[in-house]
Amino acid sequence: MNKKLKYMILCLSLFAMGCNDWLDVQPKSQVKEEDLFSSESGFRDALIGIYALMGREEIYGGNSTMGFMDMLAQTYSKVGYNYEDALKYNYKEDHVKRIVDTMWCSNYNAIANCNYLLQNIAQKGDVMSERLRNVVEGEALALRAFLHFDLLRGYAPSYKMGKDEPAIPYVREVTNSPVVQSTVAQILEYIIADLKAAQILLKPIDPIGPSFVEYNDKIEYEMDEYITDDGFWLYRKSRLNYYGVTALMARVYLYQENMTDALTCAKEVIDSKRFLFMNDSINNVYDYRNLSYIEKMARHEYISSLYVYDLKEGRSDLFFKNLATYECVIAEGRKASIYSGMGQDLDIRSKNWFETPAGSSTEYVNKYMKGTQIPLLKLSEMYLIAAEASGDIRYLETLRANRGYATDPLPAGADLQEELRKEYQKEFVAEGQLFYFYKRQNMTSIPFTAQEMNRSVYVFPVPDNELEFGNFKQN
């Protein structure tokens, strides 16, 4: 993993930009640009650098996962005093406004890097082998789609709320000019187009894709072809691999209310058998005994994730520690409500995703205290999507059985939508997905708050300086 860290440091120094420059991706030095894209290693570095940008606290290393987004979902019963306004959806308060503005700017900065990389692939990509070029281009397209989709989910009405209303700019080229908003429906079509193109590029060459008979940890270390290129072909679950792209398509199609294609994509991931639910036989494997439960789960259930080398010190300790910057706490009563009834005793998430650190009297979420992975797409979500898209509660029962409820099935006539809501609450603690579930369903009330959930809550305000472009209309 030292090679990967080298890539991150290099690319962060080359590509990091301020909020006011989200469309300005001209390199600081033409010499650096020429050097970077004069070899295969430069293209590899540039791609890994985008993942590194995404792993920062400002977005998926904090705000978009374990922090701000789950504050909005009322996952936490207590947060650091400077962030209590997030629980009240006061987007005008200085601290909250800074987070909302930073998420917008950081995502568009990463998108600008995707476009800069794609431009150089078109102009200078011949220095790469065809195989390498396809994976770099495929992942860059998928990342661009992923980043735009979360901007859409945050800063525009949901598809159910207003599919034909102005949404966000979809930026597909290197430009210094403002980009006009497209509608929600149009943005979703642009995202799907990028993902389909990524699928075509990745499918025949991705080691974790359907063209390979199997993929596991041993293959990563024992097959020489994966260890070439400074280990670039390793750790496919830490990137948007072929099945990560397919899983993202399932998420996007569900948002678009295209149940047929959402189910098809979710089933493709499930039926691939490349991802397995944690169980006792996996938990007790001798080689894994030095790993935490969440590290074992990451190896088997995460479809795509972000690698963060200092996950505990640089991320978890900011959120899940006494006197931490944010100090996000799920008190015992809140936890008992989330894992209601027999769930506290049965649910493997309730039993394994929380702990009281040494020297503390407070229990915190432990998903990021050990290991190096922040989940972006997981096997469990594919079962939730399949259940919702098909109306078949058996997908939900399969997930529940693998989470400890094998002897506690849902009652006859259970309401699928209500059971899905409960499962999203349990499954995505500190992962940033629950608020988007509430928004997609256009729920007017959610657990643990009396706040009416409406457009002003669900649609984030864009940064003030973006409105000054003139071509951007705020909804």
Side-chain angles (χ1 to χ4, degrees):
M1 301 299 273
N2 289 336
K3 294 288 187 181
K4 181 175 282 191
L5 176 57
K6 177 194 74 173
Y7 297 154
M8 293 177 178
I9 294 171
L10 169 63
C11 294
L12 284 171
S13 65
L14 290 177
F15 290 157
M17 293 173 290
C19 183
N20 294 333
D21 303 317
W22 70 273
L23 286 174
D24 181 7
V25 294
Q26 297 303 313
K28 302 297 182 185
S29 166
Q30 292 298 323
V31 175
K32 288 183 180 178
E33 178 191 14
E34 292 171 3
D35 288 346
L36 183 64
F37 295 113
S38 63
S39 65
E40 289 189 340
S41 62
F43 282 94
R44 297 196 304 265
D45 293 350
L47 177 65
I48 300 301
I50 298 170
Y51 288 102
L53 289 173
M54 292 172 63
R56 288 177 165 183
E57 176 197 341
E58 289 82 358
I59 37 178
Y60 299 96
N63 288 339
S64 299
T65 53
M66 63 194 80
F68 179 68
M69 291 308 305
D70 260 30
M71 294 178 192
L72 301 185
Q74 304 298 324
T75 297
Y76 306 117
S77 49
K78 173 190 172 184
V79 297
Y81 75 93
N82 282 337
Y83 299 90
E84 290 176 354
D85 277 287
L87 302 179
K88 304 172 185 175
Y89 308 102
N90 184 0
Y91 300 139
K92 294 182 179 180
E93 190 273 333
D94 287 346
H95 282 88
V96 177
K97 177 175 170 54
R98 192 174 303 119
I99 292 174
V100 173
D101 288 358
T102 299
M103 289 169 61
W104 169 278
C105 299
S106 298
N107 271 46
Y108 272 117
N109 277 344
I111 288 167
N113 280 277
C114 292
N115 288 330
Y116 183 55
L117 176 55
L118 288 164
Q119 175 181 278
N120 277 278
I121 292 171
Q123 295 173 352
K124 305 172 185 178
D126 289 345
V127 301
M128 292 183 281
S129 68
E130 181 180 5
R131 185 168 180 248
L132 180 62
R133 177 171 180 160
N134 285 356
V135 77
V136 173
E137 184 175 357
E139 288 187 48
L141 288 167
L143 286 167
R144 184 170 73 182
F146 184 98
L147 292 157
H148 275 109
F149 184 54
D150 275 0
L151 285 164
L152 178 73
R153 292 200 292 178
Y155 298 84
S158 67
Y159 189 86
K160 190 186 293 289
M161 198 183 298
K163 66 177 182 177
D164 296 319
E165 294 187 32
I168 61 170
Y170 200 89
V171 186
R172 290 178 287 186
E173 60 182 1
V174 178
T175 177
N176 289 311
S177 301
V179 178
V180 181
Q181 287 170 291
S182 299
T183 66
V184 172
Q186 288 170 332
I187 294 293
L188 288 170
E189 290 301 327
Y190 297 151
I191 290 168
I192 291 167
D194 271 350
L195 292 175
K196 285 182 175 179
Q199 267 194 325
I200 291 170
L201 290 164
L202 293 172
K203 187 172 185 178
I205 49 90
D206 194 335
I208 205 168
S211 297
F212 286 67
V213 175
E214 63 175 336
Y215 180 87
N216 57 43
D217 294 340
K218 289 185 178 180
I219 285 179
E220 285 188 339
Y221 294 101
E222 292 178 0
M223 292 188 67
D224 291 340
E225 65 175 303
Y226 294 157
I227 304 180
T228 59
D229 302 324
D230 293 328
F232 178 78
W233 292 91
L234 302 180
Y235 314 113
R236 294 300 296 151
K237 292 182 182 180
S238 295
R239 310 228 298 271
L240 278 175
N241 55 70
Y242 171 82
Y243 287 114
V245 173
T246 306
L248 179 56
M249 290 179 76
R251 183 185 285 177
V252 173
Y253 280 130
L254 189 69
Y255 199 82
Q256 193 187 39
E257 301 187 342
N258 179 346
M259 300 304 183
T260 300
D261 287 334
L263 178 60
T264 297
C265 291
K267 286 186 65 177
E268 182 178 356
V269 178
I270 292 169
D271 294 343
S272 74
K273 307 297 184 184
R274 302 300 175 88
F275 312 94
L276 302 172
F277 283 117
M278 270 291 294
N279 54 42
D280 288 341
S281 62
I282 292 173
N283 191 34
N284 295 326
V285 171
Y286 180 79
D287 291 346
Y288 293 166
R289 287 183 183 174
N290 291 327
L291 299 180
S292 66
Y293 194 93
I294 196 67
E295 287 176 288
K296 298 172 190 176
M297 181 171 280
R299 288 196 177 199
H300 292 277
E301 296 196 19
Y302 292 5
I303 303 168
S304 285
S305 61
L306 285 177
Y307 168 81
V308 177
Y309 75 95
D310 61 342
L311 186 58
K312 180 184 184 301
E313 295 79 9
R315 307 296 185 276
S316 184
D317 284 355
L318 297 176
F319 295 90
F320 308 115
K321 188 177 180 181
N322 290 52
L323 303 178
T325 304
Y326 302 93
E327 197 182 1
C328 299
V329 177
I330 301 177
E332 186 60 30
R334 181 70 53 94
K335 181 182 173 185
S337 183
I338 293 172
Y339 300 98
S340 57
M342 297 174 66
Q344 286 262 70
D345 297 323
L346 292 178
D347 200 300
I348 66 168
R349 297 163 293 197
S350 174
K351 293 188 290 185
N352 291 286
W353 290 1
F354 301 85
E355 68 177 78
T356 303
S360 173
S361 61
T362 303
E363 185 178 59
Y364 294 97
V365 176
N366 70 0
K367 285 184 177 180
Y368 309 106
M369 291 182 184
K370 295 181 181 178
T372 56
Q373 308 302 313
I374 296 175
L376 299 179
L377 294 146
K378 303 191 303 183
L379 178 63
S380 55
E381 185 180 0
M382 297 302 101
Y383 279 85
L384 292 168
I385 290 174
E388 185 172 352
S390 67
D392 189 343
I393 204 167
R394 289 176 296 180
Y395 286 106
L396 184 57
E397 286 284 32
T398 299
L399 172 59
R400 283 171 46 83
N402 282 283
R403 292 296 188 245
Y405 297 88
T407 60
D408 183 33
L410 294 170
D415 184 290
L416 177 59
Q417 288 302 317
E418 177 62 13
E419 296 302 329
L420 284 168
R421 179 195 65 76
K422 293 177 183 177
E423 212 56 41
Y424 270 86
Q425 270 191 293
K426 299 172 187 175
E427 183 65 28
F428 295 104
V429 166
E431 293 184 27
Q433 296 302 317
L434 183 58
F435 180 81
Y436 292 138
F437 172 81
Y438 294 149
K439 178 175 179 176
R440 178 171 60 79
Q441 298 282 9
N442 203 20
M443 293 177 62
T444 56
S445 63
I446 66 172
F448 310 125
T449 179
Q451 169 73 48
E452 179 186 357
M453 304 299 288
N454 53 31
R455 188 187 187 93
S456 65
V457 172
Y458 280 134
V459 181
F460 304 156
V462 302
D464 294 337
N465 63 329
E466 299 296 355
L467 300 177
E468 297 172 5
F469 281 138
N471 284 341
F472 193 100
K473 178 182 177 183
Q474 172 69 19
N475 294 317

